[in-house]
Amino acid sequence: MRMIATGDSFIARRIPENDKRAKNIKEWMNGADVRFTNLEITTHHKEGYPSPFSGGTWAMAEPSVLDDLTYYGFNLYNWATNHTMDYLQGGLLATERELDARGLVHAGAGRTLAAAAEPRYIDTVQGRVALIGATSTFHEASLAGDPTPHIKGRPGINPLRYEEVYYVTKSEMETLKQISNNTDIDANEMLNRLEGFSVEGGQDEFLFSGKLFKSADRSYRVRRPVKQDIERLTASIQAARRQADYVIVSLHSHEMEGMDKNKPADFLQDAARACIDAGAHTIFGHGPHVVRGVELYQGRPIFYSLGNFIFQNDSVSYLPSDFYHKYGLRTDANVADGYDIRSDYGRKGLGVNPNVWESVIAKLIWNGDDLQSIELQPINLGFKQARYQKGWPELTDNVEVLQRIKELSEPFGTEIVVADNKAIVVCT
């Protein structure tokens, strides 16, 4: 079984005709049985209402961009991301319609929570493969919901939520309580608890500005996956393991350690390992728009982030009034005005971070349940190009991104050999 895995495909433009970059990548991926990418854009004709919140950019493109992803050969798609609900339920349903019309196998979002969480399958000559998708980065209104006997379900994403607890010293706790008493910062929440609209907390905890604090001998933070979401994920994996030869889990996560995008959050590591324990063969991670390390857990690979495959967030053609208001512009402004202000005229943001524009494509080869090899092929997305030209992937011999992944993987005990302009993950 040969698998290809890429990171985020934030595709907002059509592939230029006779583009050699696309042709070379298509040929490099040719021969794989399954080819995965993360669809990080909604695809529709301005359907649905723009959400009052977004994943950063209200991500919308013409449905024809799906034909370009099909040109590359992708046949497995996650679409549980922080952008899935940029155009609310209407945008989700329209995107689902366009994916289904092309016969594309997609997971992570749907008309109900059960649909968003269920495995989706593809049959190949080398075996049947299941894909399960989830995201930890989303607005709470994006959650899918299941129906009851009297109320229909809610379209949305399959969530991977996490619980967050801040531990502080006794003196720090007293300071928080004093600030809370003086400012009534959590008065509404406290009243909701008294009136039964919120769940009452434990006696040893204190809620401050919506965050849970507990006393300890030092200050630190702990995040853990929500039990309900892990149980739903592992149940899907266990079902898929009995219905397919291989199980892929896709996890979209922007959360990090501190301000370091290169390091996955603690809860994400716990969740990924729990998925492997439940029977998943591999975890394909994405979200922060930079690469992260690779872990071999129980002999199964966890890619904490494969970075970007296509990244064109400065090429979205239409944006709602919320975007212009956010940057102090009138609604009769155009997208070029908005992108200028957001980037401080090209001086800040993702566009000036070279790590955003270097990434990899992973090639995995399996013999039954045994992982035979992992190869990482570097790609370049045009860092030095104009913002309206950036974002198309191109095979490159730049090993800097490979060295970065090698170093980021060392804390997980993963050995990576960089040679001949590619990286090999040592699997034995």
Side-chain angles (χ1 to χ4, degrees):
M1 172 64 68
R2 295 158 295 181
M3 298 179 180
I4 291 289
T6 67
D8 294 316
S9 283
F10 194 123
I11 180 170
R13 311 195 303 266
R14 299 299 308 273
I15 295 177
E17 188 175 354
N18 300 320
D19 189 282
K20 291 184 179 179
R21 298 168 299 182
K23 182 175 182 291
N24 290 339
I25 289 180
K26 174 183 175 69
E27 291 177 351
W28 189 86
M29 295 195 302
N30 188 36
D33 302 286
V34 294
R35 294 167 294 277
F36 167 88
T37 197
N38 177 62
L39 180 65
E40 198 167 15
I41 198 162
T42 63
T43 57
H44 51 91
H45 302 286
K46 301 178 187 175
E47 297 164 76
Y49 294 103
S51 170
F53 53 86
S54 81
T57 300
W58 279 258
M60 176 181 62
E62 289 291 316
S64 54
V65 299
L66 294 174
D67 300 325
D68 290 323
L69 294 176
T70 304
Y71 169 81
Y72 282 110
F74 293 115
N75 53 16
L76 286 178
Y77 297 79
N78 173 73
W79 62 306
T81 77
N82 52 304
H83 290 287
T84 308
M85 298 294 287
D86 280 357
Y87 283 84
L88 300 175
Q89 282 83 6
L92 180 150
L93 296 176
T95 300
E96 182 180 55
R97 181 195 66 218
E98 297 295 341
L99 288 164
D100 289 343
R102 291 164 174 81
L104 303 178
V105 179
H106 54 87
R111 294 172 179 265
T112 65
L113 181 56
E118 71 181 356
R120 301 294 176 90
Y121 299 95
I122 185 169
D123 289 285
T124 80
V125 294
Q126 296 298 332
R128 198 178 199 215
V129 179
L131 175 66
I132 298 164
T135 178
S136 65
T137 309
F138 57 89
H139 188 279
E140 62 182 357
S142 299
L143 270 72
D146 278 328
T148 71
H150 304 288
I151 300 294
K152 62 183 179 180
R154 179 180 61 249
I157 54 90
N158 183 27
L160 173 58
R161 292 166 290 187
Y162 56 93
E163 299 168 331
E164 193 170 34
V165 179
Y166 293 83
Y167 292 88
V168 295
T169 63
K170 290 183 178 180
S171 62
E172 290 171 330
M173 181 71 83
E174 290 304 315
T175 300
L176 292 176
K177 289 181 178 180
Q178 183 178 357
I179 294 172
S180 180
N181 290 333
N182 293 344
T183 63
D184 290 331
I185 193 170
D186 283 304
N188 287 338
E189 173 62 22
M190 294 304 180
L191 184 60
N192 284 338
R193 289 188 175 192
L194 288 173
E195 295 180 342
F197 295 108
S198 291
V199 179
E200 188 71 29
Q203 293 183 350
D204 63 336
E205 66 181 46
F206 182 71
L207 193 72
F208 181 80
S209 189
K211 301 293 185 181
L212 185 63
F213 288 82
K214 293 186 178 183
S215 295
D217 57 358
R218 61 185 178 89
S219 301
Y220 60 100
R221 177 181 64 174
V222 173
R223 291 168 292 182
R224 297 184 181 90
V226 168
K227 181 181 178 183
Q228 175 185 353
D229 292 348
I230 286 294
E231 288 177 347
R232 185 177 57 256
L233 260 176
T234 55
S236 293
I237 293 168
Q238 289 163 358
R241 195 66 183 89
R242 289 172 285 163
Q243 295 296 109
D245 299 291
Y246 298 91
V247 179
I248 297 171
V249 176
S250 168
L251 298 178
H252 191 76
S253 180
H254 288 238
E255 290 78 15
M256 66 196 87
E257 287 301 316
M259 294 181 63
D260 191 345
K261 286 187 174 183
N262 297 116
K263 295 182 179 179
D266 45 4
F267 77 88
L268 180 64
Q269 297 176 51
D270 292 342
R273 293 163 187 162
C275 289
I276 297 294
D277 287 336
H281 286 80
T282 183
I283 311 296
F284 294 155
H286 32 79
H289 300 300
V290 294
V291 296
R292 288 173 171 169
V294 180
E295 179 180 9
L296 287 176
Y297 175 73
Q298 309 285 16
R300 303 286 174 87
I302 300 172
F303 299 88
Y304 283 109
S305 176
L306 287 160
N308 291 318
F309 179 70
I310 298 171
F311 192 53
Q312 299 167 348
N313 72 322
D314 283 336
S315 297
V316 175
S317 298
Y318 301 100
L319 293 163
S321 61
D322 308 80
F323 176 83
Y324 298 109
H325 290 317
K326 180 178 181 179
Y327 295 104
L329 295 169
R330 291 158 49 103
T331 53
D332 60 356
N334 57 54
V335 293
D337 297 330
Y339 295 142
D340 283 343
I341 298 300
R342 180 169 71 176
S343 68
D344 192 18
Y345 297 91
R347 289 189 287 267
K348 68 179 183 181
L350 297 176
V352 299
N353 181 354
N355 292 349
V356 169
W357 309 93
E358 297 177 344
S359 190
V360 295
I361 306 173
K363 180 186 292 183
L364 297 77
I365 298 179
W366 300 80
N367 182 9
D369 281 340
D370 295 328
L371 180 62
Q372 299 293 295
S373 66
I374 301 175
E375 177 184 338
L376 303 178
Q377 166 64 46
I379 56 175
N380 167 51
L381 278 69
F383 170 59
K384 295 183 179 180
Q385 296 176 1
R387 71 182 179 210
Y388 55 86
Q389 295 174 325
K390 286 181 178 180
W392 290 121
E394 181 177 16
L395 299 178
T396 179
D397 57 4
N398 180 12
V399 299
E400 290 184 10
V401 66
L402 303 179
Q403 293 289 353
R404 192 178 313 124
I405 295 176
K406 174 183 170 71
E407 294 173 4
L408 292 170
S409 301
E410 288 173 355
F412 299 111
T414 305
E415 182 182 355
I416 296 179
V417 177
V418 178
D420 299 325
N421 302 322
K422 63 183 180 182
I424 302 297
V425 179
V426 178
C427 300
T428 56

